[in-house]
């Protein structure tokens, strides 16, 4: 079932969709050549915003949860993609160790873990769960909402390998984003494949590095398409010494907000867009929609109250915010049942396997939707989204619109590949 969407089907987005639909062979060949040179992350989810005049990724997650929000129709494609990934990484693989987040009592998160277990089990692997939680010292059953259970076990570390009792995996899959830091138990595992790699975790990763890589990808892709990269790329800048709790470094944020708003206004004028620009200020690392605020005028930052300062000063696992990315705000013109919505694209290996709409009835078109109160409307890209429908007019076909979302999702995934290569501490540097 394809959700009923209300979207702005006019302006440059129509031209962009038409251009992509006319260029499907060239686009797919371009991706194929890129993947000959670069390795995709094992799995990725990308938040996409469709403004009607531009379509851009605003966040790329390398430890995606939420697999339970995808339809069961996407499972065959996800299993095939998982098989393709495993064949490249460790063809003889038999055992997979999955390490989830430590807050594993959350039933919604647990159903996500169960879906990942299902995908990789059907891909031909024995999957068991190990935990970084030191309080779990014996196999422990965790209840799932439907009455099923998951068993989570304490990790056992030898000098060179990590596993469980009577379980030695070839590959270790992290579904823990390492916001709290890199645990010593995961370091020095040179005999096993650890995916994603440690430098993909939020203890090390920075959003500005990702969007720098995305800018490079967007320029290459836009050259192929003969278009302005801005139509698919959110502009950004950063501030590296900020303490919202103490109010220090706010001047840096104000200056950069003002400059970025000026750049956006010039682009809006160029394209005849009659909207008030805004920026999103958010922690340069971290997830879960924490440490984010919308700013429409730099003067707002002079008047932020204590509650907003507190919200901006700490993110997941109590980590303090000292660096922020200031990102061009991309309004969303999509609605489901009158509520503001944004598509989230899910990928395994280099394949789009599904997605959903994040919907929030209490948020505006210029606000972060990844917050309490959000709902999820699944969408099976497997049937309708990855393949474009030839001959349909732009905006007339849901599959064509979703194909475009899949292209932008894959561009962000490719950027993540560039990013991980550039930040790999073990990569050889040639001078």
């Amino acid at each position: 079932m394809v959700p009923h969407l209300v979207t702005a089907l006019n302006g440059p987005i129509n031209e962009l969709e038409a251009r992509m639909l006319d260029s499907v062979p060239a686009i797919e060949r371009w991706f194929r050549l890129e993947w000959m040179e670069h390795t995709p992350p094992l799995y990725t989810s990308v938040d996409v915003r469709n403004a009607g005049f531009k379509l851009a990724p605003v966040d790329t997650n390398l430890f995606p949860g939420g697999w339970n929000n995808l339809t069961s129709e996407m499972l065959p494609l996800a299993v095939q993609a998982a098989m393709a990934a495993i064949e490249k990484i460790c063809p003889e693989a038999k055992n997979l160790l999955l390490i989830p987040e430590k807050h594993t009592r959350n039933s919604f998160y647990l159903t996500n873990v169960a879906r990942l277990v299902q995908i990789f089990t059907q891909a031909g692997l024995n999957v068991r769960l190990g935990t970084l939680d030191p309080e779990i010292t014996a196999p422990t059953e965790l209840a799932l909402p439907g009455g099923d259970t998951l068993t989570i076990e304490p990790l056992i570390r030898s000098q060179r390998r990590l596993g469980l009792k009577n379980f030695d995996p070839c590959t270790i899959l992290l579904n823990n984003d390492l916001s709290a830091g890199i645990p010593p138990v995961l370091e020095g595992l040179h005999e096993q494949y650890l995916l994603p790699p440690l430098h993909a975790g939020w203890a090390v990763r920075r959003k500005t590095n990702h969007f720098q890589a995305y800018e490079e990808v967007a320029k290459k892709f836009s050259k192929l398409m003969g278009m302005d990269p801005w139509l698919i790329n959110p502009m950004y800048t950063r501030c590296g010494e900020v303490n919202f709790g103490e109010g220090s470094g706010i001047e840096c944020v104000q200056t950069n907000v003002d400059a970025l708003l000026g750049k956006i206004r010039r682009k809006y004028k160029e394209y005849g867009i009659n909207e008030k620009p805004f920026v999103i200020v958010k922690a340069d690392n971290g997830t879960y929609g924490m440490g984010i605020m919308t700013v429409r005028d730099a003067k707002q930052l002079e008047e932020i109250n204590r509650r907003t300062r507190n919200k901006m000063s700490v993110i997941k696992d109590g980590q303090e915010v000292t660096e922020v990315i200031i990102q061009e705000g991309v309004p969303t013109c999509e609605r489901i049942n009158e509520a503001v919505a944004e598509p989230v694209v899910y990928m395994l290996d280099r394949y789009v396997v599904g997605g959903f709409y994040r919907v929030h009835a209490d948020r505006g078109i210029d606000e972060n939707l990844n917050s309490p109160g959000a709902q999820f409307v699944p969408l099976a890209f497997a049937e309708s989204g990855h393949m474009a429908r030839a001959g349909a007019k732009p905006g007339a076909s849901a599959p064509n619109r979703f194909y475009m979302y899949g292209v932008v999702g894959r561009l962000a995934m490719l950027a993540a590949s560039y990013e991980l290569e550039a930040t790999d501490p073990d990569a050889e540097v040639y001078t």
Side-chain angles (χ1 to χ4, degrees), residues 131-153:
T131 180
L132 293 167
D133 189 342
E135 294 181 9
I136 294 181
T137 57
T140 302
E141 281 198 351
L142 301 172
L144 294 170
D148 292 333
T149 60
L150 287 174
T151 300
I152 195 155
E153 303 175 62

Side-chain angles (χ1 to χ4, degrees), residues 353-367:
V353 297
F356 57 79
Y357 282 92
R358 183 182 288 119
V359 185
H360 207 305
D362 299 323
R363 291 292 169 114
I365 63 169
D366 58 355
E367 292 183 292

Side-chain angles (χ1 to χ4, degrees), residues 106-230:
N106 180 316
S107 62
F108 293 107
Y109 177 72
L110 285 174
T111 52
N112 151 74
V113 174
R115 175 59 67 86
L116 283 172
V117 171
Q118 183 183 12
I119 290 168
F120 284 96
T121 298
Q122 291 185 10
L125 295 166
N126 301 314
V127 184
R128 283 166 65 176
L129 303 176
T131 180
L132 293 167
D133 189 342
E135 294 181 9
I136 294 181
T137 57
T140 302
E141 281 198 351
L142 301 172
L144 294 170
D148 292 333
T149 60
L150 287 174
T151 300
I152 195 155
E153 303 175 62
L155 296 169
I156 297 175
R157 174 67 195 254
S158 65
Q159 187 175 355
R160 301 182 67 83
R161 297 181 73 84
L162 181 66
L164 307 173
K165 187 176 181 182
N166 301 321
F167 188 77
D168 185 27
C170 163
T171 304
I172 299 161
L173 174 61
L174 288 175
N175 197 239
N176 180 313
D177 62 23
L178 307 179
S179 291
I182 297 173
V185 73
L186 297 179
E187 295 181 324
L189 295 172
H190 302 301
E191 293 182 357
Q192 293 164 297
Y193 294 95
L194 181 64
L195 299 168
L198 293 178
H199 68 284
W202 286 123
V204 178
R205 188 179 178 224
R206 293 295 178 267
K207 292 174 186 176
T208 41
N209 287 337
H210 174 74
F211 282 100
Q212 181 180 3
Y214 183 79
E215 191 170 8
E216 183 182 346
V217 168
K219 283 178 180 174
K220 284 186 182 180
F221 182 77
S222 297
K223 187 175 181 182
L224 170 78
M225 299 294 290
M227 67 184 202
D228 181 353
W230 178 76

Side-chain angles (χ1 to χ4, degrees), residues 329-378:
V330 182
T332 178
C333 65
E334 305 209 358
R335 303 277 191 290
I336 294 179
N337 299 327
E338 302 302 315
V340 173
E342 66 185 7
V344 185
V345 180
Y346 274 65
M347 290 155 287
L348 254 168
D349 194 60
R350 58 193 175 96
Y351 305 101
V352 175
V353 297
F356 57 79
Y357 282 92
R358 183 182 288 119
V359 185
H360 207 305
D362 299 323
R363 291 292 169 114
I365 63 169
D366 58 355
E367 292 183 292
N368 167 45
L369 305 187
N370 187 10
S371 60
Q375 294 180 303
F376 308 98
V377 177

